[in-house]
Structure formats: structure tokens, C-alpha cells
Amino acid sequence: MEKDWLALKENFDNFDNIKKKPRPPKPNNAITIAVSSRTLFNMKKERQVYEEEGLEKYVQYQLEHEGQPLLPGVAFPFVKALLNVNSHLRELYPDSEELFDIVLMTNNHAQVGVRLINSINHYDLTIERFCMSGSESAVGYLKAYMTDLYLSKDSEKVREAIEEGIAAATMFACDNENELSDTQLRVAFDGDAVLFSDESEIIAKTKGLDTFFEHEKIFENKPLAQGPLKGFLEALGKLQRKFYAKGERLSCPIRTYLVTARSAASAGARVLKTFRCWGLEVDEALFLAGAPKGPLLQKIRPHIFFDDQMFHIEGAQELGTIAAHVPYGIGQKYYKGNLLQENNLRN
């Protein structure tokens, strides 16, 4: 009898803990980050079962391992950092719903969902919204989930999302990841074809650097058109200002970086004036004049770095930075040729 009573009490205690877990914000107020199951968790072994033995064996394998949490994947540190920002925001604004909302997007069958849920609960992640599309692409649901950013390891799905006007990137892991901050979300962006359109990049690639520099000088006071991730930077800035309003500019748990191959004196003014026109800012702007980005990123140690060129993605990976490829603009002219290269790099 006493054992039964203790078991019942434990169940009630667990129920209380569940009730106390923070609820996700309403989608209309949230910044929605959709992540695929293979970016949030390391499913390399599971993927191997699927490719070598087929769907039925894959589902069976997942069912047999439901009690075994999946290992963290490439997007896991980024998601943890987003949820850490939420915790700080709730302390300052208990009733605010301007928070990050993480949505798990997967083409897994619903039967596999139990293992995903168990893994999320094992790591104490606040992820309540799922999309399990049962072998169909989940990309078509992104707009319905009001997605602000979509992260996947599938280059084709990311390209589909970009073509639908949704900010998206293909994530790449690295063998020896840099140690990342536990208290501050750090996000690094390339400029052209990421935050900005590729209008200037087109000139640089088709007419050469001299013409590019001349063009940027002539149009220094004309803001660049927005690129696919401008909205995400805008969302980060909105949350940063909430911390600034509480006197936490210096201790803000969000920090943003522009890491661009542009030269500062020759082509930097237009970039900074564009930010000013947009009413946005980055915490740090690093103009490299064509120098490799990897060493600077190794110093910054961002949770994620966005770039449209695989050359810079590779350089970031080699020095321990988690990088995400944005397939947008003229840089994707040879996309099909680069796809095999991307697949070889993907873990």
C-alpha cells in the first residue's frame, strides 16, 4: 500500500513539473525557428539504416530504440542558445510572447515521433510544435507554421524554402567544434546574398572588382535591397532592444556579427548606411577585403554562421565553426554542380 501511495505521489509530482514547464508563445507573436530532426539530433546511424535497409526497417529500428535518446546534432547548440534567450526574456518580461518558438520539422512517420519526443524531454528542450509529414516534404508546411527561419541538412529542401520566400539555410557540422558561449547567443552573417540582395555581387562577378568598387561609390547613399536573412536579423534586433530597454545593452544575451569579404574603405560605407536606413544594427562589423573568414570566426565562436558561398563554409568548418549555407543569388548559378560537394561535406 505504501509503495502504491509513493508511486502515486511521484506521478503527481511529475505532473506538477510538466505544468510548470514554460509554454511556447502564440505563433503571431513569436520568432519561429523550424529545424529538421536531422539538424537538431545526430541521426547518422538511423539514416544509414534507412538508406541500406529501407523505410520499414528504419521505423522498426526507431521503435526498438524509443527509450534511447538521440545524440545532439549540429543545430542543438543554436537551439539551446535560443531557449536560453527565452529564459532571460521571461525574467524581464513575464507576460511577453515575443520569444523564440522552435518547431521540429521532419518527414518521419508519426510512429517515430515518440523517440523524438523522448529525446526532446531528455534534454529538457521546450519544443511543443511538431510537423511529422510521413515521407512527404515538410517544406510545404513552413508558411502555415509562420516560419521565420528554416534549418535543414537537405540542400534541396532548403532551396525550395528560399524559392518560397522563406529564410533558410543548409547546416554543416565540423569534426572539432569550437567551445560555445552558454550565456550569449552569437549569430554571424555574410552580407551580400545573405542579409543583402546579390545586386552588387552580380557586378563583382560579371564585371570585376574595379567596376564593383566604382558602382558602390556611386550608389553609396542608395540602400541595398534586402536579402533572404534580413528578416531574421531584424527579429534578433527587436529582441535585443527589449534587453536594452532594461539597461542590459552590455550584458545582452544576443550578439550579432557581419563578417563580409568586402573592403571597408572601398565598399563598406554603403553597407553601414543600408543598416542605418533599415533601422538595424549589428554589434560588430568585420570587413576582410577578401581575406579568409575562418580565423575571425574561430575568434567569434558563433553558434551559427550564414554564408552563400561554399568556399567560406568550408573555411569555417575547418576551424571549428558551425556554418549554414544560404542558396541564394548569383552564387547559386552553379548550384547543381556544387550539390555533390555539399553532400560530401554533410555529416
Side-chain angles (χ1 to χ4, degrees):
M1 181 69 71
E2 184 178 354
K3 288 183 180 179
D4 292 341
W5 183 85
L6 289 173
L8 183 62
K9 182 179 183 299
E10 184 179 354
N11 287 336
F12 274 110
D13 289 342
N14 290 336
F15 181 70
D16 286 339
N17 289 335
I18 291 172
K19 288 195 297 181
K20 291 175 183 177
K21 190 172 184 179
R23 304 297 299 174
K26 294 179 181 177
N28 287 338
N29 302 319
I31 299 167
T32 300
I33 312 296
V35 295
S36 74
S37 56
R38 288 200 296 136
T39 57
L40 183 59
F41 297 116
N42 183 339
M43 300 179 70
K44 187 174 182 179
K45 184 174 182 179
E46 288 75 10
R47 185 70 178 178
Q48 184 178 0
V49 172
Y50 173 76
E51 292 177 349
E52 294 179 359
E53 302 184 43
L55 177 60
E56 296 303 322
K57 289 290 186 181
Y58 167 79
V59 173
Q60 181 183 342
Y61 178 88
Q62 294 283 38
L63 292 174
E64 291 173 351
H65 292 80
E66 278 185 356
Q68 179 182 338
L70 293 159
L71 296 174
V74 62
F76 191 90
F78 177 60
V79 169
K80 287 286 286 185
L82 295 174
L83 296 176
N84 181 59
V85 172
N86 280 358
S87 297
H88 284 281
L89 283 167
R90 285 191 173 101
E91 291 173 3
L92 298 175
Y93 301 92
D95 299 324
S96 176
E97 290 198 335
E98 291 181 327
L99 304 165
F100 293 111
D101 185 19
I102 315 301
V103 177
L104 188 70
M105 306 291 292
T106 176
N107 62 354
N108 273 290
H109 284 260
Q111 292 185 68
V112 179
V114 174
R115 191 179 187 197
L116 293 171
I117 291 170
N118 288 343
S119 299
I120 284 169
N121 288 334
H122 173 79
Y123 295 109
D124 196 28
L125 303 177
T126 304
I127 302 179
E128 299 290 353
R129 293 205 290 156
F130 275 40
C131 176
M132 293 176 280
S133 60
S135 295
E136 297 295 326
S137 173
V139 171
Y141 292 102
L142 290 173
K143 286 187 177 179
Y145 276 84
M146 303 178 70
T147 301
D148 294 289
L149 175 67
Y150 171 55
L151 299 173
S152 175
K153 296 188 83 173
D154 189 317
S155 300
E156 288 289 354
K157 290 179 182 176
V158 166
R159 190 161 67 101
E160 287 176 34
I162 289 280
E163 290 173 353
E164 290 293 317
I166 296 168
T170 309
M171 292 201 72
F172 294 91
C174 40
D175 292 333
N176 298 301
E177 293 178 7
N178 294 321
E179 184 177 346
L180 303 176
S181 173
D182 292 328
T183 59
Q184 186 178 63
L185 167 67
R186 298 177 185 175
V187 183
F189 300 89
D190 177 34
D192 295 291
V194 176
L195 292 178
F196 316 119
S197 75
D198 65 333
E199 60 177 85
S200 295
E201 195 167 319
I202 290 172
I203 293 172
K205 289 184 182 296
T206 59
K207 299 184 179 180
L209 284 178
D210 290 340
T211 303
F212 164 74
F213 291 139
E214 182 181 352
H215 176 270
E216 293 304 283
K217 188 65 178 177
I218 293 172
F219 293 99
E220 179 179 313
N221 295 312
K222 179 185 177 183
L224 289 153
Q226 72 177 48
L229 265 67
K230 183 254 188 177
F232 181 53
L233 176 62
E234 193 171 29
L236 292 175
K238 184 178 181 181
L239 294 187
Q240 282 181 308
R241 288 191 291 274
K242 292 174 74 71
F243 288 103
Y244 301 165
K246 296 291 186 177
E248 295 200 7
R249 177 179 282 271
L250 296 179
S251 59
C252 181
I254 303 173
R255 193 164 184 84
T256 56
Y257 304 80
L258 172 71
V259 183
T260 174
R262 282 177 177 247
S263 304
S266 304
R270 191 180 185 194
V271 166
L272 298 179
K273 288 182 178 181
T274 296
F275 283 135
R276 188 183 301 166
C277 177
W278 287 350
L280 295 178
E281 58 182 272
V282 288
D283 294 294
E284 299 187 29
L286 307 173
F287 294 88
L288 302 186
K293 297 182 180 182
L296 269 296
L297 292 166
Q298 188 178 35
K299 176 67 175 176
I300 294 169
R301 300 195 174 193
H303 291 86
I304 191 167
F305 163 61
F306 296 98
D307 203 293
D308 69 307
Q309 298 189 47
M310 285 304 301
F311 171 78
H312 294 305
I313 298 293
E314 293 167 18
Q317 283 183 288
E318 288 173 2
L319 294 178
T321 296
I322 297 171
H325 180 233
V326 181
Y328 177 82
I330 190 173
Q332 308 321 302
K333 181 178 180 181
Y334 303 105
Y335 174 81
K336 290 294 184 183
N338 291 336
L339 184 58
L340 178 60
Q341 180 184 22
E342 291 184 22
N343 286 335
N344 290 336
L345 285 167
R346 189 179 302 117
N347 292 325

